[in-house]
Amino acid sequence: MAKHDTPLLDELEKGPWPSFVTDMKRQAETHPECWDILGQLELSYKDKITHWKHGGIVGVFGYGGGIVGRYSDVPHRFPGVEHFHTVRIAQPSGLYYSTKNLRGLMDLWDKYGSGMTNMHGSTGDMIFLGTRTENLEPLFWDLTHNLEQDLGGSGSNLRTPSCCLGESRCEWACYDTQDVCHHLTMHYQDEIHRPAFPYKFKFKFSGCPNDCVASIARSDFALIGTWKDDIRINQAAVKEYIAGNYPSNAGAHAGRDWGKFDIKKEVIDLCPTGCMWMEGGELKIDNAECTRCMHCINVMPRALKPGKEKGATICIGAKAPILDGAQFATMVIPFIEVSKENEYENVIDVIEQVWDWWMEVGKNRERVGETMQRIGLPNFLRVMEIEATPQHVREPRSNPYVFWREEEVEGGWERDVVAFRKKHAA
């Protein structure tokens, strides 16, 4: 395969930043099909349209997901990318790879594909970029039998669950993210590999409210670690921060003089609910008003820690802007215990309750968050058997009408009124 003139792409090699164009040219020295990728991309820049065909189903025997079909619409000009399928590889929890494992994966891709990868983009998986249809079955055999690794999810199914490092390295983790992620990956193998949903569905697991995998913005089901009791305070350490003996932000800004630490300016005044103050030389927190934003803990990690009664918050319905605008997940369950002892049955119950509803009322290619918007949050909460709280209200009601369900009017409502009158008769 010949090199192509790529004046537009060559512009992307200028400047101080690393360039994917340079990487692809280097890769083309051993995988000539990469010249055709560059040539087709240059043509797309000129024509201002993609030259990948839309649609196309391709996979391996027994699996409906894991491989994304890619076909060029100008194969006569760029035969190296006539077929250029994307293969998703299920990542280990927390992205802990051994060097041996990584070398095995790279050797496999050099053998069967272009050698190009996308390491853990928004999908979560490791992505193998570019191979032909006839290479898929032998690649899959070697991957599963020799490396004992699996394909990830693609299509209208459960996508490969992903998580932060959790308790393996983070002192703020409120549950074992890696164990939950691994357990649910094993538990839902059928849902990952055989698409049966209205559209894609993503789990992401963050150990604390810092949400290092951005689960609240990128997943249909976000399990975010939290605590139920009070923030733990080491008052002696607070004094050390105020005195300047401990670096704030865990020393993250070493090398630059940010001036003397000011607890009022840098912590108390930045609390979103104003629930902190100094009194008698001690830091006070009104924990009932705390929203677990983690700012104070991040700034003064030696002085403040999450509470001891740990669990997670469940948020549902985030998505990127495809059919409708981007949206964050909605907080549905403020606190749930996350326990290995019961194999996360309570979390699984919530997941399957969501699925049962969504698979019944969701439209084709409609994410669960879009179904929630269309049907309405009150209806969703009713199906989930969750009592609405003020935090579920986006804005005050702007019309004068009140609607009652039949069961609230006939019997239930009257009983409440009678009971109230009896209670306050005196």
Side-chain angles (χ1 to χ4, degrees):
M1 292 162 202
K3 295 183 181 179
H4 303 278
D5 291 331
T6 55
L8 296 176
L9 286 174
D10 293 346
E11 290 294 314
L12 299 179
E13 295 187 274
K14 299 176 181 179
W17 304 280
S19 170
F20 74 91
V21 177
T22 303
D23 288 343
M24 289 170 69
K25 287 179 178 179
R26 187 184 303 123
Q27 189 67 12
E29 298 298 331
T30 55
H31 292 77
E33 62 266 35
C34 293
W35 292 125
D36 279 353
I37 308 170
L38 291 165
Q40 180 169 298
L41 184 57
E42 180 78 13
L43 182 63
S44 290
Y45 279 16
K46 288 178 181 176
D47 295 344
K48 295 182 172 59
I49 59 170
T50 182
H51 283 288
W52 295 113
K53 285 183 181 179
H54 292 282
I57 300 297
V58 66
V60 295
F61 185 73
Y63 278 19
I67 297 169
V68 182
R70 293 278 185 265
Y71 298 94
S72 171
D73 70 359
V74 283
H76 58 286
R77 296 183 61 176
F78 307 108
V81 293
E82 178 185 12
H83 302 191
F84 209 71
H85 308 312
T86 291
V87 183
R88 290 181 173 166
I89 307 298
Q91 76 275 8
S93 293
L95 307 184
Y96 280 109
Y97 292 95
S98 68
T99 305
K100 180 181 178 182
N101 180 221
L102 281 174
R103 290 191 187 280
L105 288 166
M106 295 305 103
D107 288 345
L108 193 68
W109 195 229
D110 267 335
K111 181 179 178 182
Y112 293 111
S114 70
M116 292 200 308
T117 62
N118 173 356
M119 297 297 286
H120 307 294
S122 59
T123 62
D125 301 298
M126 176 192 287
I127 307 297
F128 285 174
L129 293 166
T131 192
R132 294 186 62 82
T133 303
E134 59 266 25
N135 290 336
L136 294 175
E137 287 293 351
L139 166 66
F140 179 58
W141 176 271
D142 275 3
L143 177 70
T144 55
H145 288 74
N146 297 331
L147 295 183
E148 297 183 339
Q149 208 151 336
D150 203 356
L151 296 184
S154 71
S156 297
N157 62 358
L158 175 62
R159 299 300 179 85
T160 319
S162 64
C163 65
C164 69
L165 296 167
E167 293 178 339
S168 65
R169 291 192 65 186
C170 180
E171 61 183 314
W172 307 142
C174 296
Y175 71 94
D176 190 340
T177 58
Q178 287 182 266
D179 192 71
V180 178
C181 186
H182 177 75
H183 182 86
L184 293 185
T185 301
M186 296 296 103
H187 186 77
Y188 287 123
Q189 282 293 291
D190 207 51
E191 286 76 10
I192 291 173
H193 296 307
R194 296 169 183 88
F197 293 159
Y199 201 21
K200 68 182 83 169
F201 195 96
K202 297 179 180 180
F203 294 149
K204 292 191 187 297
F205 306 99
S206 286
C208 79
N210 278 325
D211 195 12
C212 290
V213 292
S215 63
I216 198 168
R218 301 195 302 153
S219 66
D220 302 88
F221 187 95
L223 196 67
I224 304 173
T226 189
W227 61 94
K228 204 173 184 180
D229 52 346
D230 296 347
I231 294 175
R232 288 175 282 169
I233 307 176
N234 181 334
Q235 297 291 354
V238 172
K239 290 181 171 63
E240 293 294 329
Y241 276 109
I242 294 172
N245 297 327
Y246 290 161
S248 61
N249 298 297
H253 301 300
R256 177 173 176 180
D257 184 9
W258 290 85
K260 182 177 170 56
F261 175 68
D262 184 339
I263 192 171
K264 184 176 187 303
K265 178 182 176 183
E266 298 178 42
V267 179
I268 294 172
D269 289 351
L270 295 179
C271 175
T273 60
C275 71
M276 310 178 74
W277 69 96
M278 293 297 294
E279 184 178 305
E282 292 190 339
L283 179 66
K284 303 292 184 182
I285 301 176
D286 181 1
N287 283 274
E289 295 297 319
C290 175
T291 57
R292 314 295 194 265
C293 78
M294 291 291 289
H295 175 72
C296 60
I297 296 175
N298 292 333
V299 175
M300 302 194 297
R302 297 195 193 187
L304 302 173
K305 294 182 183 296
K308 293 183 177 180
E309 195 175 348
K310 298 176 180 179
T313 295
I314 293 177
C315 299
I316 298 173
K319 69 175 196 67
I322 299 177
L323 300 181
D324 199 0
Q327 65 187 45
F328 270 21
T330 299
M331 189 279 292
V332 173
I333 299 179
F335 186 87
I336 189 170
E337 292 184 0
V338 185
S339 172
K340 296 180 185 180
E341 282 66 38
N342 66 3
E343 297 187 317
Y344 311 111
E345 284 183 7
N346 54 342
V347 176
I348 288 171
D349 287 344
V350 177
I351 291 168
E352 296 189 356
Q353 205 168 355
V354 174
W355 282 352
D356 288 346
W357 172 78
W358 178 50
M359 292 175 75
E360 182 179 347
V361 304
K363 294 180 178 180
N364 186 38
R365 293 183 67 82
E366 182 177 63
R367 296 284 286 273
V368 70
E370 293 167 322
T371 307
M372 289 165 63
Q373 277 191 328
R374 178 171 58 84
I375 303 298
L377 185 62
N379 291 323
F380 176 71
L381 294 176
R382 199 172 298 126
V383 168
M384 295 294 294
E385 300 174 324
I386 294 168
E387 188 173 340
T389 68
Q391 287 78 9
H392 287 134
V393 178
R394 178 182 294 177
E395 60 187 28
R397 186 162 54 83
S398 55
N399 69 62
Y401 300 102
V402 178
F403 298 96
W404 302 91
R405 297 196 308 278
E406 186 176 345
E407 61 269 24
E408 293 175 318
V409 175
E410 295 182 4
W413 181 74
E414 286 95 334
R415 282 195 302 273
D416 290 344
V417 172
V418 171
F420 178 85
R421 287 174 174 167
K422 284 183 177 179
K423 182 178 179 181
H424 298 279

